[in-house]
Amino acid sequence: MIIEAIFSTLNREGSPNFAPMGVVWGEERVTVRPFRQTQTYENLVASGYGVVSLTDNVRAFVQCGLYHVVLPHFTASQVPGVVYQEACAWRELQVISQAGDEQRAEVHCRVVEKGRRRDFLGFCRARSAVLEAAILATRLNLYDADWIAAMLDHYETIVEKTGDENERLAFQEIRAFIRR
Ligand SMILES: Cc1cc2nc3c(=O)[nH]c(=O)nc-3n(C[C@H](O)[C@H](O)[C@H](O)COP(=O)(O)O)c2cc1C
């Protein structure tokens, strides 16, 4: 199963980078599939370490995925890296091998440490809609403009009906990104 998470790595100077990544979840192993042009891929392979944070704050996905915001964080305990401050739970990872194709890597990691801060609230349609819209915004070149516009209207209705202020703000940020 693929779980959408906030993935953090350190760049060569030691400063943190955050990006949403879908990871293949496991208790002992986690696999991440970054495109080769991402900073995440470069950092992960250069440093050999990463941290995967699970959160219900979907605005964080928009902020780091579309606007490259360095999210609030604290230092990981067993690997060189950082944990997203609003993580419900996290895994500290060490790279063990990599595969993949020309475009997309498949990086297999060993779970070195596990942490937990708070409960993960149940499913919320508005949060799922924000995630889907954010993924769409990172893949604009793959889809037809009319289809994107229709999907965004559909997601926005769900956000308006079932979300809170945080989800509405996240959705506005996605709209602003796409307009640009
Ligand atoms: C929910 C979600 C899941 C994503 N999953 C992946 C993924 O598995 N692999 C990937 O390369 N990009 C994925 N992306 C897109 C990256 O997060 C995005 O391209 C980001 O800007 C990469 O940042 P970086 O260059 O700092 O690593 C995802 C985006 C979202 C919103």
Side-chain angles (χ1 to χ4, degrees):
M1 189 191 294
I2 293 180
I3 302 294
E4 306 302 337
I6 300 290
F7 203 91
S8 53
T9 48
L10 297 184
N11 67 22
R12 284 175 202 278
E13 294 77 45
S15 52
N17 184 79
F18 292 85
M21 293 279 151
V23 302
V24 181
W25 193 257
E27 287 307 311
E28 308 303 328
R29 298 272 188 273
V30 167
T31 297
V32 55
R33 298 178 61 228
F35 284 98
R36 293 198 191 267
Q37 84 276 9
T38 59
Q39 191 66 48
T40 298
Y41 173 70
E42 190 182 319
N43 293 352
L44 189 57
V45 168
S47 73
Y49 297 100
V51 175
V52 59
S53 297
L54 300 180
T55 185
D56 48 12
N57 185 350
V58 285
R59 197 169 169 214
F61 287 76
V62 175
Q63 290 177 325
C64 68
L66 304 185
Y67 293 96
H68 302 287
V69 169
V70 176
L71 299 173
H73 55 270
F74 59 90
T75 307
S77 67
Q78 299 300 322
V79 303
V82 295
V83 180
Y84 171 44
Q85 188 83 41
E86 284 189 53
C88 298
W90 75 92
R91 300 283 190 266
E92 301 179 16
L93 307 173
Q94 180 178 29
V95 174
I96 47 176
S97 65
Q98 62 156 312
D101 58 30
E102 216 171 274
Q103 288 202 323
R104 200 168 185 176
E106 194 174 283
V107 184
H108 303 282
C109 303
R110 182 172 73 88
V111 175
V112 175
E113 178 66 312
K114 302 173 183 183
R116 190 184 172 284
R117 305 198 90 196
R118 64 186 174 88
D119 287 343
F120 192 103
L121 207 54
F123 297 114
C124 167
R125 291 181 66 208
R127 290 179 175 172
S128 303
V130 168
L131 280 189
E132 292 301 330
I135 291 178
L136 204 61
T138 64
R139 297 176 186 178
L140 292 175
N141 55 331
L142 299 180
Y143 304 110
D144 167 74
D146 288 344
W147 186 80
I148 291 173
M151 291 306 285
L152 283 178
D153 288 348
H154 172 63
Y155 294 140
E156 189 163 23
T157 307
I158 297 172
V159 169
E160 290 300 326
K161 272 192 197 160
T162 66
D164 274 341
E165 186 61 10
N166 203 47
E167 287 73 37
R168 290 196 191 98
L169 283 172
F171 202 83
Q172 283 166 19
E173 287 162 354
I174 295 170
R175 284 268 193 212
F177 176 86
I178 292 175
R179 267 197 301 274
R180 267 196 253 150

